[in-house]
């Protein structure tokens, strides 16, 4: 059977949840950018602080050590008997009289920071004076520990400030983006089959949001006007066509009642009569599409679907005359539904016609399952899933396949009435499933 492989959707095509979740929101992108900028700025400030601190520390040590060593050299020149007295933190070494420890002996002239001697950290000033190498060493171990504690305090303060700043940024971005998120959510709830929809924005909305809302509202209004014009045209054209078609059908019925007709003439009149009935069905379906789905409930009928199916099958048995094909109805249980009777007849009849016209030989089985579900299985031509999918694509784009009113119109009717139409590959042919929603 020439049918699609996927179910006909009950509504307009929208992005799937997976596709939506694959894209990050504008709020998350802004937050990620601001958080990254804040983190980089914090790191830059900390690095700059460390560099400035090290440079300032070096200047302090240089100034302090130069002052002490200059004082010693000056006093030694004025008083040859002057001797340096070491303190608990400051020591002076002379290569001639008091060699420095091995860790200080290899240092070049200048100030050297963070020199470890016997587990204690020193800053040393090395200078060559009158052919002697003097080394002044200052114990800074306690100050380095305090500096480390101070660095931990500053790092903790910086991290705390960064976290607080991120929280404030998150709150601010949420407030700024919330109107846009609300508008996007409202746009996502718009339904193509519902008229009079609008996107309202608060008085405090930004000018960009107002522009977006106005553009969406203008599009929705033009869509409503287009749908109204389409329905009015279909309704008018369908009503105009019903009268001549009814005349043709009535005249052929009267002519077929004449007993003196030749077989050839009777055959041609039968074809005219069947074609007129098909056109009447088409007009009825177009009238249904022209109506609002809410108005269809008032014009629906309560009838037994289990009694309707045998009638539909009998009306289509003549199509199997020239084929090695039979149509059987599986045992069914009573089932009552509330729906437009002509539309149900046309929909099931068209699906059965397609099954017959696209099958070579074998048996077509019609079943009535629970929840007003009609299943038609045909032997078909043994199509592959790829071939069925290709046919579905053509049908979804408006292509006509086989006789009858066409699967494209049937699919639109199912969408319009909230029914579900599904096509699956069966063991040999195709399985068509029509769920008539609203059954009672």
């Amino acid at each position: 059977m020439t049918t699609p492989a996927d179910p006909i959707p009950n509504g307009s095509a929208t992005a799937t949840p997976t596709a939506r979740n694959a894209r990050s929101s504008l709020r998350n992108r802004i937050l990620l950018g601001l958080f990254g900028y804040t983190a980089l700025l914090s790191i830059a400030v900390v690095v700059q602080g460390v560099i400035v601190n090290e440079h300032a520390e070096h200047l302090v040590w240089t100034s302090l050590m130069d002052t002490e060593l200059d004082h010693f050299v000056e006093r030694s020149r004025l008083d040859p008997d002057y001797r340096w007295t070491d303190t608990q933190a400051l020591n002076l070494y002379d290569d001639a009289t008091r060699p420095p420890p091995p860790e200080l002996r290899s240092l070049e002239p200048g100030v050297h920071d963070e020199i470890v001697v016997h587990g204690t950290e020193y800053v040393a000033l090395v200078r060559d004076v009158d052919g002697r190498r003097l080394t002044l060493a200052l114990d800074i171990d306690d100050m380095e520990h305090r500096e480390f504690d101070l660095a931990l305090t500053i790092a903790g303060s910086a991290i705390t400030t960064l976290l607080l700043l991120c929280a404030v940024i998150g709150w601010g971005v949420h407030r700024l983006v919330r109107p846009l998120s609300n508008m996007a959510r409202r746009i996502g709830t718009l339904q193509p089959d519902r008229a009079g929809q609008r996107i309202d924005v608060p008085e405090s909305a930004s000018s960009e949001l107002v522009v977006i809302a106005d553009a969406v509202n203008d599009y929705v209004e033009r869509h409503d006007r287009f749908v109204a014009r389409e329905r009015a045209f279909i309704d008018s054209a369908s009503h105009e066509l019903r009268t001549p078609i009814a005349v043709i059908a009535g005249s052929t019925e009267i002519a077929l009642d004449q007993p003196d007709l030749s077989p050839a003439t009777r055959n041609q009149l039968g074809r005219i009569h069947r074609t007129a009935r098909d056109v009447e069905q088409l007009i009825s379906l177009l009238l249904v599409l022209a109506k609002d789905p809410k108005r269809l409930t008032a014009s629906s009928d309560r009838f037994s679907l289990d009694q309707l199916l045998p009638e539909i099958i009998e009306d289509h048995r003549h199509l199997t005359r020239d084929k090695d094909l039979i149509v059987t109805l599986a045992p069914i249980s009573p089932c009552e539904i509330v729906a437009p009777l002509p539309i149900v007849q046309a929909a099931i009849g068209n699906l059965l016609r397609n099954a017959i016209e696209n099958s070579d030989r074998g048996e077509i089985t019609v079943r009535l399952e629970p929840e007003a579900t009609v299943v038609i299985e045909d032997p078909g031509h043994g199509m592959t899933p790829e071939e069925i999918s290709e046919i579905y694509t053509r049908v979804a784009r408006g292509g006509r396949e086989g006789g009858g009113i066409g699967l494209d119109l049937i699919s639109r009717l199912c969408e319009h009435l909230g029914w579900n139409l599904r096509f699956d590959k069966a063991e040999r042919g195709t399985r068509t499933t029509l769920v008539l929603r609203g059954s009672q």
Side-chain angles (χ1 to χ4, degrees):
M1 178 177 176
T2 308
T3 52
D6 299 323
I8 301 298
N10 293 328
S12 61
T14 56
T16 62
T18 303
R20 287 195 296 265
N21 294 335
R23 297 180 180 272
S24 60
S25 65
L26 177 62
R27 173 178 175 273
N28 291 340
R29 294 184 184 186
I30 295 176
L31 285 177
L32 183 62
L34 289 178
F35 288 163
Y37 171 76
T38 304
L40 290 176
L41 182 61
S42 301
I43 293 173
V45 170
V46 170
V47 170
Q48 184 183 16
V50 170
I51 294 175
V52 171
N53 177 73
E54 291 295 328
H55 182 67
E57 187 180 72
H58 184 77
L59 292 177
V60 170
W61 296 142
T62 302
S63 176
L64 175 63
M65 304 290 279
D66 279 342
T67 300
E68 290 292 336
L69 193 57
D70 288 344
H71 175 73
F72 169 74
V73 172
E74 186 67 23
R75 287 292 302 273
S76 297
R77 287 175 179 172
L78 294 177
D79 183 4
D81 295 329
Y82 176 75
R83 296 290 180 269
W84 171 272
T85 302
D86 289 340
T87 64
Q88 186 177 1
L90 194 61
N91 300 288
L92 179 64
Y93 300 97
D94 188 343
D95 286 351
T97 59
R98 185 189 178 191
E103 293 84 356
L104 303 177
R105 198 172 303 162
S106 60
L107 298 177
E108 296 294 329
V111 178
H112 303 273
D113 195 4
E114 299 179 356
I115 306 300
V116 179
V117 179
H118 304 302
T120 303
E121 193 168 347
Y122 287 86
V123 58
L125 171 62
V126 180
R127 185 188 296 177
D128 293 330
V129 179
D130 299 331
R132 299 180 302 165
R133 173 159 290 188
L134 301 179
T135 302
L136 187 62
L138 176 63
D139 181 0
I140 59 172
D141 195 67
D142 185 59
M143 286 181 284
E144 287 294 328
H145 285 300
R146 293 182 181 180
E147 182 181 359
F148 180 75
D149 294 339
L150 180 61
L152 288 180
T153 302
I154 294 175
S157 301
I159 293 175
T160 303
T161 303
L162 177 62
L163 294 176
L164 292 175
L165 188 58
C166 289
V168 172
I169 290 174
W171 177 79
V173 170
H174 176 72
R175 281 184 58 87
L176 289 174
V177 180
R178 184 169 55 188
L180 182 59
S181 300
N182 293 338
M183 174 175 288
R185 194 177 304 111
R186 288 195 294 270
I187 292 176
T189 60
L190 294 176
Q191 298 296 327
D193 56 348
R194 190 183 306 165
Q197 301 175 99
R198 282 188 59 81
I199 298 296
D200 297 322
V201 294
E203 294 293 333
S204 59
S206 63
S207 58
E208 291 81 4
L209 287 180
V210 173
V211 171
I212 296 174
D214 290 343
V216 173
N217 290 333
D218 179 65
Y219 174 78
V220 171
E221 290 176 3
R222 287 188 284 112
H223 176 269
D224 290 344
R225 291 195 298 268
F226 172 78
V227 171
R229 288 196 304 269
E230 183 186 50
R231 285 180 174 172
F233 171 77
I234 293 175
D235 185 68
S236 175
S238 300
H239 279 295
E240 291 295 330
L241 288 173
R242 296 185 84 171
T243 299
I245 296 300
V247 171
I248 295 173
S251 299
T252 53
E253 288 179 1
I254 295 175
L256 286 171
D257 290 336
Q258 302 300 319
D260 56 346
L261 292 177
S262 65
T265 303
R266 185 174 297 276
N267 183 46
Q268 295 300 325
L269 288 175
R271 291 183 60 187
I272 295 173
H273 186 260
R274 288 194 299 270
T275 304
R277 288 186 58 187
D278 289 343
V279 175
E280 281 183 328
Q281 284 187 346
L282 176 60
I283 293 172
S284 299
L285 297 178
L286 292 176
L287 286 173
V288 169
L289 289 176
K291 292 182 179 179
D292 192 304
K294 296 179 180 178
R295 295 172 52 195
L296 291 174
T297 306
S299 61
S300 297
D301 308 303
R302 177 182 291 274
F303 58 92
S304 297
L305 187 58
D306 56 296
Q307 297 178 8
L308 180 64
L309 283 179
E311 298 176 5
I312 296 176
I313 293 175
E314 289 302 321
D315 289 341
H316 289 79
R317 283 196 189 279
H318 68 277
L319 298 176
T320 64
R321 253 180 258 159
D322 300 327
K323 294 187 176 184
D324 185 13
L325 194 66
I326 61 172
V327 181
T328 60
L329 178 63
I332 55 179
S333 302
C335 176
E336 283 193 351
I337 65 171
V338 177
L341 177 58
I343 309 308
V344 175
Q345 290 175 317
I348 299 176
N350 182 75
L351 296 176
L352 181 58
R353 177 193 294 268
N354 276 275
I356 294 172
E357 293 184 349
N358 293 280
S359 298
D360 296 325
R361 62 180 60 86
E363 180 182 10
I364 296 177
T365 305
V366 181
R367 299 196 309 272
L368 178 59
E369 297 183 349
E371 299 184 358
T373 302
V374 179
V375 179
I376 302 174
E377 287 194 23
D378 66 85
H381 304 297
M383 291 183 298
T384 65
E386 292 76 13
E387 292 172 333
I388 295 178
S389 178
E390 182 180 354
I391 292 171
Y392 169 70
T393 302
R394 293 202 302 268
V395 172
R397 292 174 178 173
R400 295 290 299 274
E401 298 289 340
I405 58 176
L407 292 178
D408 52 336
L409 189 53
I410 289 294
S411 65
R412 288 192 60 185
L413 282 169
C414 291
E415 177 183 340
H416 195 67
L417 296 170
W419 299 344
N420 183 270
L421 179 61
R422 181 179 182 84
F423 300 89
D424 300 290
K425 191 176 186 306
E427 183 179 353
R428 289 183 301 168
T430 305
R431 181 186 301 108
T432 304
T433 304
L434 175 62
V435 181
L436 303 170
R437 300 186 186 277
S439 59
Q440 298 181 354

